[in-house]
Amino acid sequence: MKPLLEVRDLRTTFAGNPATRAVDGVNFTLDVGETLAIVGESGCGKTVTALSILGLIDEPGRIEPESVVEFGGVNLLTLEARELRRIRGAEIAMVFQEPATSLNPVLTVETQITETLRAHRTISRTAARARATDLLELVRIPQAAERLGAYPHELSGGMQQRVMIAIALSCEPKVLIADEPTTALDVTVQAQILELLAELQGRLGMAMLLISHDLGVVAGLADRIAVMYGGQIIEQASAAAIFERPMHPYTEALLKAVPRLDRPVTRLSAIAGSVPNAATWPDGCRFHPRCPHAWDRCRTSHPELTPTAAGDVRCWLTDEPHRRVR
Ligand code: SF4
């Protein structure tokens, strides 16, 4: 069966001197009802990947012509702006990182939900209002009818994010893209929002692309995980395989930075160094300046994403496992 969404050879570049290749040959699929998490540090290309799927890259950025984002048998990147707007928000919806800045501060909750509905559906004002109330109940906002008249500043961060989710779900999308949906929230509210997303996904049967810098956040939600570094996917496997037996040293390092309840933790470790600048990716493996296992081959030769029994990995250790430092 064909996947619901298929991204092939996605490349997104920002003009400059030198140009910045923020996303550099990304491939993945998303099936009906599945959750794929895209994980990596800030600056690795996760958010640009999500924005590229929705055609939300503005000048000086551009999606390279060989890129394909296939949804419902159509390459979204070849659609006219008007056709893409019809799909965006209705069939593929997005929840952004910061509800406080994503919501319009001068419009009520009702206006913001019904605007999306009326942009994509032929629906009367009364029916749109009733649907907005239902949506607020769906995302478990108490006294939903009364909250319709509230402005964003009258709501807590958690409530604002619930409103963002309600807006995203208003047209019953087939795919929900959630970009760091809990970053701005405290830990308790974060857990509530993740639980809500999991429940809604199960009830509504939509697929989800969950973007996060934190493997801990995606642990309970993802079926599969794609780890990004340097604008590329460096490991892709089932969530169980990633957590049990990560293959790429970067994935290992990300996991060591996550506290786990199922294993004794002596200390959490930070990843040495920082994400390289997208305008000047290092030669060879892009992770080599930070990798404890790097040897000469890593510094000069760029590994391809290679299929293995456990998943896909972009690392020379698959050829030369004896090089792994114990
Ligand atoms: Fe480390 Fe080399 Fe693998 Fe890159 S290719 S992750 S530098 S071992």
Side-chain angles (χ1 to χ4, degrees), residues 20-52:
T20 299
R21 176 62 63 81
V23 175
D24 192 9
V26 163
N27 295 278
F28 62 81
T29 59
L30 184 66
D31 289 327
V32 174
E34 183 187 37
T35 297
L36 171 68
I38 300 186
V39 177
E41 293 163 286
S42 297
C44 68
K46 313 177 301 281
T47 295
V48 178
T49 298
L51 295 174
S52 302

Side-chain angles (χ1 to χ4, degrees), residues 10-305:
L10 181 65
R11 291 174 204 273
T12 306
T13 307
F14 292 85
N17 192 15
T20 299
R21 176 62 63 81
V23 175
D24 192 9
V26 163
N27 295 278
F28 62 81
T29 59
L30 184 66
D31 289 327
V32 174
E34 183 187 37
T35 297
L36 171 68
I38 300 186
V39 177
E41 293 163 286
S42 297
C44 68
K46 313 177 301 281
T47 295
V48 178
T49 298
L51 295 174
S52 302
I53 289 170
L54 291 171
L56 291 172
I57 300 295
D58 292 327
E59 292 284 340
R62 78 174 204 140
I63 300 170
E64 301 296 337
E66 68 269 30
S67 309
V68 175
V69 175
E70 196 171 314
F71 177 74
V74 175
N75 181 3
L76 300 184
L77 303 179
T78 62
L79 294 180
E80 298 287 333
R82 191 172 50 84
E83 293 173 301
L84 192 52
R85 269 200 302 276
R86 194 181 54 72
I87 289 173
R88 202 163 55 213
E91 306 221 38
I92 305 178
M94 186 155 174
V95 176
F96 292 91
Q97 299 186 5
E98 296 270 356
T101 51
S102 301
L103 289 168
N104 188 326
V106 298
L107 297 179
T108 63
V109 167
E110 176 181 347
T111 305
Q112 299 193 54
I113 299 177
T114 55
E115 253 182 5
T116 307
L117 270 170
R118 290 166 68 83
H120 293 284
R121 300 267 191 277
T122 307
I123 186 169
S124 69
R125 275 183 195 286
T126 313
R129 185 164 212 273
R131 172 84 177 129
T133 311
D134 291 347
L135 284 162
L136 291 188
E137 283 170 357
L138 185 70
V139 297
R140 295 202 224 116
I141 290 188
Q143 291 137 9
E146 287 99 275
R147 299 287 181 152
L148 284 177
Y151 288 89
H153 73 269
E154 297 175 295
L155 304 173
S156 66
M159 288 294 166
Q160 289 174 350
Q161 192 56 295
R162 286 169 195 266
V163 170
M164 289 295 296
I165 295 169
I167 294 170
L169 298 182
S170 60
C171 295
E172 300 173 2
K174 295 191 177 79
V175 178
L176 180 69
I177 301 177
D179 184 9
E180 304 273 12
T182 58
T183 298
L185 307 174
D186 68 47
V187 177
T188 315
V189 180
Q190 191 175 56
Q192 291 166 358
I193 294 291
L194 292 172
E195 186 190 317
L196 175 67
L197 282 172
E199 184 206 316
L200 291 173
Q201 188 194 18
R203 267 168 76 175
L204 306 176
M206 63 193 171
M208 183 153 66
L209 195 59
L210 178 61
I211 292 171
S212 180
H213 65 282
D214 185 346
L215 272 167
V217 162
V218 308
L221 282 177
D223 299 305
R224 280 187 302 124
I225 295 176
V227 181
M228 281 191 77
Y229 189 84
Q232 300 180 319
I233 291 176
I234 51 92
E235 181 165 2
Q236 182 163 212
S238 70
I242 292 271
F243 282 100
E244 278 309 308
R245 209 159 178 276
M247 292 180 283
H248 197 284
Y250 179 61
T251 313
E252 273 179 348
L254 282 180
L255 271 174
K256 282 184 186 153
V258 177
R260 292 186 62 160
L261 294 175
D262 60 339
R263 288 183 191 169
V265 176
T266 44
R267 62 188 279 194
L268 295 176
S269 49
I271 307 174
S274 53
V275 177
N277 185 330
T280 52
W281 296 128
D283 289 339
C285 169
R286 292 176 183 177
F287 187 56
H288 87 253
R290 306 173 74 187
C291 181
H293 312 284
W295 72 98
D296 291 351
R297 185 181 187 186
C298 307
R299 295 182 191 98
T300 54
S301 191
H302 184 67
E304 294 300 320
L305 193 64

